[in-house]
Amino acid sequence: MRQYIFGTGLLSAITGGVTLLRGLKNDEPFTWRTALAWLSWGITLALAIGAVVDTRRARRGRTIAGDSPVSKKQGKLLKKRLAR
């Protein structure tokens, strides 16, 4: 589970969220740029979580969608699992 939590995509999404939270502490008004930044962060977080889920499914031998970035590595991940 550690390898999923400390993945670079997830860490960068969390870091971006912390940065956005720090920006809320200032007394600046909530503008459309702030809304777009939060929307972008939400999409980034969803993609990072999706990649973690796809990697886990591939390692367990389950099929994953063809549009996933992990789909090309699915055979390699399955071979690692079978080697254990």
Side-chain angles (χ1 to χ4, degrees):
M1 193 65 166
R2 268 189 321 239
Q3 60 191 352
Y4 302 124
I5 293 174
F6 295 117
T8 57
L10 205 53
L11 281 178
S12 64
I14 291 170
T15 305
V18 170
T19 303
L20 286 173
L21 283 174
R22 285 184 185 167
L24 286 178
K25 288 184 180 180
N26 299 338
D27 293 330
E28 295 181 25
F30 191 81
T31 62
W32 63 272
R33 289 182 185 100
T34 308
L36 285 177
W38 279 103
L39 179 67
S40 173
W41 174 78
I43 292 170
T44 303
L45 183 64
L47 288 172
I49 291 171
V52 167
V53 169
D54 285 347
T55 303
R56 187 162 193 241
R57 284 184 183 164
R59 284 184 185 236
R60 293 186 176 229
R62 298 182 185 151
T63 58
I64 54 176
D67 64 343
S68 172
V70 182
S71 67
K72 295 176 184 174
K73 300 177 187 176
Q74 186 173 8
K76 183 178 175 182
L77 293 172
L78 184 57
K79 284 181 185 178
K80 280 186 180 179
R81 169 131 175 113
L82 293 176
R84 286 189 228 163

